[in-house]
Amino acid sequence: MLVLSRKIGEQITIDGHITVQIISIKGQKVRIGISAPPAVSIDRAEVHERRTAFEDIEVFAEMAEALS
């Protein structure tokens, strides 16, 4: 994992087309803004986990249907 320090308003660029900007810092919370192409999916970790689990259920349902 790469760990970088940034101040409010500063940015990090990933692969030349994804930008992460520090918007604000309040106590233990950091607000960030992310700019990326539409094809790049951006989720909080807990949302990503739920979405992945749901997609797995759909794949299993399709497999079960194909076998019946």
Side-chain angles (χ1 to χ4, degrees), residues 37-55:
V40 175
S41 177
I42 302 170
D43 287 323
R44 296 186 325 259
E46 62 273 16
V47 172
H48 176 75
E49 290 169 7
R50 278 183 272 164
R51 182 174 297 179
T52 302
F54 183 73
E55 289 171 357

Side-chain angles (χ1 to χ4, degrees), residues 10-23:
E10 293 183 331
Q11 299 179 346
I12 297 166
T13 301
I14 302 169
D15 199 28
H17 61 275
I18 300 171
T19 303
V20 179
Q21 182 174 0
I22 306 304
I23 304 299

Side-chain angles (χ1 to χ4, degrees), residues 57-68:
I57 291 169
E58 287 182 332
V59 168
F60 288 130
E62 289 173 7
M63 290 172 54
E65 185 176 311
L67 294 173
S68 32

